[in-house]
Amino acid sequence: MRFRKKPVVVDAVQWRGREDTNRVLNWLAQQGASIAGWLFNDTDITIPTLEGNHRATPGDWIICGVKGEFYPCKPDIFEATYEHVFIPIGLAPELTEEAPDPRSTTGEIIG
């Protein structure tokens, strides 16, 4: 039997490495995440998931799933599985303009 993933919208942020940790922490706070059990190191982040601890390394995406769970995703898998969703002005009060693609060359990541 074959299956196709249901189209769902998730929030995600790409961790660029140690110097990017504060931005990821701010994103997690915006998601209402508890960081109990998360370990932030210079070379990786340990994320407690529903299947046990998983490790994110620089370049990996951290995804907030449909039930509020968090898990890491390698960039190639993320690129093959997800596409950027543009949110029109007015539908997301916290945005003042249409969000750019987080994989754009500006380096700005929208979570």
Side-chain angles (χ1 to χ4, degrees), residues 5 10-15 45 47 49 54-64 70-82:
K5 266 188 173 181
V10 297
D11 289 310
V13 66
Q14 190 173 32
W15 183 56
I45 299 174
I47 303 170
T49 73
H54 286 250
R55 192 175 135 234
T57 57
D60 288 355
W61 288 83
I62 299 172
I63 298 171
C64 178
F70 293 89
Y71 53 93
C73 184
K74 293 295 179 193
D76 58 334
I77 302 298
F78 189 88
E79 183 72 29
T81 308
Y82 297 97

